[in-house]
Amino acid sequence: MAALNVSVVSADQEVWSGEAVMVVARTVEGEIGILPGHEPMLAILAGGEVRVTLAGGEKITANAEDGFLSVHSDAVQVVASRAELA
């Protein structure tokens, strides 16, 4: 099964990183779900939750504000000025 390599960082620290099967984030254009094989993209984050689903079904939730989300070659980077695990 393909996986995403996910990194959630704030201005001063890495909040979480690891492999996941899905990422859901809120952007200024609406909520977006990212699965392995997603087209490359760059989006501006809207304040809210970033939900990461791991291969075993476990979910990790982070609150992120003022940043962007980047997807390229099954790598997802969430970069925010403020982010913390919920």
Side-chain angles (χ1 to χ4, degrees), residues 8 10 13 17-18 21-22 27 29-30 41 46 57 61 69 74 76 86:
V8 179
S10 68
Q13 67 178 341
S17 69
V21 294
M22 182 171 67
T27 72
E29 296 181 1
M41 65 167 281
T61 303
L69 169 99
D74 287 337
V76 180

Side-chain angles (χ1 to χ4, degrees), residues 6-9 13-20 52 54 60 62 85:
V6 181
S7 177
V8 179
V9 299
Q13 67 178 341
E14 181 175 70
V15 176
W16 186 86
S17 69
E19 287 193 349
V52 180
L54 306 181
I60 306 238
L85 292 178

